Amino acid sequence: MPALSVILPASNEAALIARCLSSLVASRWNAAAPVETLVIANGCRDDTAGRARAQAGAFAARGWPLRVIERAEGGKLGALNAGDAAARGPVRVYLDADVTVSPDLLAQLHDALDTARPRYASGRLDITAGGVMARAYARVWRQVPFMARGVPGCGVFAVNAAGRARWGAFPEIISDDTFVRLNFAPAERVGVPAPYRWPVAEGLANLVRVRRRQDAGVAEIGSAFPQLRANDDTPPFPARDKLRLALRDPLGFAVYAGVALAVRLTPARAQGWSRGR
């Protein structure tokens, strides 16, 4: 039996899946039981599944099972549920295909979740960006108190068996990471020091679209699952701290505030999957 199962939904991620899997298989791992990885290729119109299977040799060399499950239906929540149904490890790591993990992340997540008490864990978020607008936005976003001091779980979050028992199937929602995080009280969440790289959307229009979807996802959780609001410990972002940020990084703050303002002032369109790449 594996000690840990990585559940990796991937829709049209042929350009990124090999890099994500290569970072996983390069993990430092001393436990006797292996890591199990399940790639759920959902609604793909490219060679995501084939490129994932091409990594099987590297995983087999470590004695780690790698399974690729193909689903004709798109939809991340369905993919997460399919992965959960197939997973055997007591610790579940839910990973986005555009994330690259550092060598120590899996082991540290496993250690943090090696308890009978319900626990949620994630690593230290390293927000990456390419273009001028995205880099400016990321400079400020990574300093927002929730991102800097919390355990947001963007792109990677993990739970142990007692934690996974907190909910059944993933509901059809926008923000799976917010839903899972708020199923745990702040004292039940653990941030481990190992980092992982998670890219922000590129370009002003994409930043606005993704931010709108993020805000809608958080609002949806509050409306559909009001009992989870008790676990929301988002720290305040006082005006004086915003002013200091604006003075230190005028461009970054202008882009960050401009995106937030655009979300509030422009009408929302139908919510689809938004990733800006």
Side-chain angles (χ1 to χ4, degrees), residues 6-24 37-42 44 46 48-49 51-52 76 79-80 93-101 154-157 176 196-199 273 275 277:
V6 178
I7 296 172
L8 204 171
S11 182
N12 297 317
E13 301 286 11
L16 297 173
I17 192 68
R19 184 174 64 186
C20 179
L21 290 172
S22 294
S23 71
L24 276 177
T37 301
L38 300 114
V39 177
I40 303 89
N42 62 102
C44 292
D46 64 6
T48 296
R51 296 193 183 191
K76 185 179 182 182
L80 290 173
V93 177
Y94 301 92
L95 176 67
D96 286 354
D98 56 357
V99 166
T100 52
V101 302
C154 307
V156 180
F157 56 87
D176 55 284
Y196 65 94
R197 295 170 64 85
W198 180 73
W273 178 247
R275 57 188 173 189
R277 53 177 171 77

Side-chain angles (χ1 to χ4, degrees), residues 173-188:
I173 51 175
I174 297 170
S175 184
D176 55 284
D177 52 349
T178 302
F179 172 77
V180 172
R181 178 173 52 83
L182 292 182
N183 266 278
F184 296 84
E188 296 175 318

Side-chain angles (χ1 to χ4, degrees), residues 7 38 67 69 78-88 92 94 164:
I7 296 172
L38 300 114
R67 293 179 57 192
I69 300 169
L80 290 173
N81 287 326
D84 260 331
R88 298 174 296 153
R92 305 286 169 89
Y94 301 92
R164 184 60 186 84

Side-chain angles (χ1 to χ4, degrees), residues 100-188:
T100 52
V101 302
S102 63
D104 293 317
L105 182 60
L106 289 186
Q108 289 184 12
L109 291 175
H110 180 263
D111 290 347
L113 298 171
D114 187 17
T115 174
R117 296 184 295 275
R119 288 291 183 270
Y120 162 102
S122 186
R124 179 167 55 82
L125 174 61
D126 178 12
I127 302 173
T128 64
V132 173
M133 288 294 184
R135 291 199 309 271
Y137 185 87
R139 284 198 307 271
V140 171
W141 196 21
R142 64 172 61 103
Q143 297 179 73
V144 170
F146 171 70
M147 302 297 281
R149 302 201 299 265
V151 190
C154 307
V156 180
F157 56 87
V159 298
N160 60 7
R164 184 60 186 84
R166 290 274 171 92
W167 75 97
F170 279 91
E172 282 296 330
I173 51 175
I174 297 170
S175 184
D176 55 284
D177 52 349
T178 302
F179 172 77
V180 172
R181 178 173 52 83
L182 292 182
N183 266 278
F184 296 84
E188 296 175 318

